[in-house]
Amino acid sequence: MPRSTTAVAVFAVAVLSVAGCSGDGGEDAARSSDPSAGTTASFSDSPSVSPPGELPSPTPPPPPPSPPAPTDAASASITASAGGSPSPVPTAGRQQKLVTMTVSGGFAGVRQEVILRGDGTVRTSDKGDAEVRRAGAAEFTRLRTLLGDPALDDVPASTVDRNAADLFQYTLRFDGRTVVTDRSAERPPLDRLIDALSEWLPA
């Protein structure tokens, strides 16, 4: 081979080698000069930061617990109170007259009396003959509860049929008032009290 041909071939190889090195270095330089390469992932997991001067939003408190549902007993108690359920009248000892009932009239000229006192004693009299007995705890409470019925406030002071002269007349004194009736008209709260007191009268 002539020397000129060999020299040209060597020169060509050298030029290609230099060009290849320059291309690789250019790619590396391009990668190193790109600011976005290799940095995006480093900020993806960083916590959010509030802007300067802005306070973070407070966490709202948990809602208060709901009140328990009332039991059947409590509901019954509330219903009774709302409906004006009677309660026993208070007592203040023997000198207190809770109620006095006098029964008079009729063809035979009846004159009977019942007095319920605050100590539970019951005094009855029939044409002058008197007797004192004591009511049991349950009976005493029943009588006091009848006296405490709010419906008694609606009973008129007098319910008398003037055309019926043969009827018994009942005069009751309780709670600072006097009520007179011959039972010619129904007065349920008063009738219940009269029936309960009449049980103590002599037959």
Side-chain angles (χ1 to χ4, degrees):
M1 179 182 296
R3 292 182 179 179
S4 59
T5 303
T6 302
V8 172
V10 171
F11 177 76
V13 172
V15 171
L16 292 176
S17 298
V18 172
C21 292
S22 299
D24 294 340
E27 293 178 1
D28 292 341
R31 284 196 297 267
S32 61
S33 63
D34 188 356
S36 62
T39 59
T40 303
S42 61
F43 294 97
S44 60
D45 296 332
S46 61
S48 60
V49 179
S50 300
E54 180 179 344
L55 297 176
S57 300
T59 303
S66 301
T71 61
D72 293 340
S75 300
S77 177
I78 294 172
T79 303
S81 299
S85 178
S87 57
V89 296
T91 59
R94 179 175 176 77
Q95 300 304 318
Q96 177 190 22
K97 291 183 180 180
L98 295 176
V99 59
T100 299
M101 183 178 75
T102 303
V103 184
S104 60
F107 290 112
V110 171
R111 177 74 182 185
Q112 297 176 321
E113 187 178 62
V114 181
I115 300 175
L116 175 64
R117 294 185 177 272
D119 63 346
T121 57
V122 180
R123 182 185 184 276
T124 59
S125 63
D126 182 12
K127 295 181 179 181
D129 296 332
E131 182 180 5
V132 178
R133 290 172 288 172
R134 182 176 294 276
E139 177 64 13
F140 188 40
T141 299
R142 181 173 77 99
L143 292 170
R144 290 165 52 218
T145 302
L146 291 172
L147 284 168
D149 191 344
L152 285 174
D153 296 338
D154 300 327
V155 174
S158 179
T159 306
V160 177
D161 184 356
R162 303 297 180 183
N163 298 321
D166 58 337
L167 296 178
F168 290 114
Q169 183 168 293
Y170 299 82
T171 302
L172 293 92
R173 297 177 177 86
F174 60 93
D175 195 27
R177 58 184 301 217
T178 300
V179 176
V180 180
T181 180
D182 59 5
R183 308 191 75 173
S184 57
E186 292 186 359
R187 309 293 183 189
L190 185 63
D191 291 341
R192 288 192 292 267
L193 179 59
I194 291 174
D195 291 340
L197 293 173
S198 297
E199 295 174 2
W200 293 87
L201 293 173

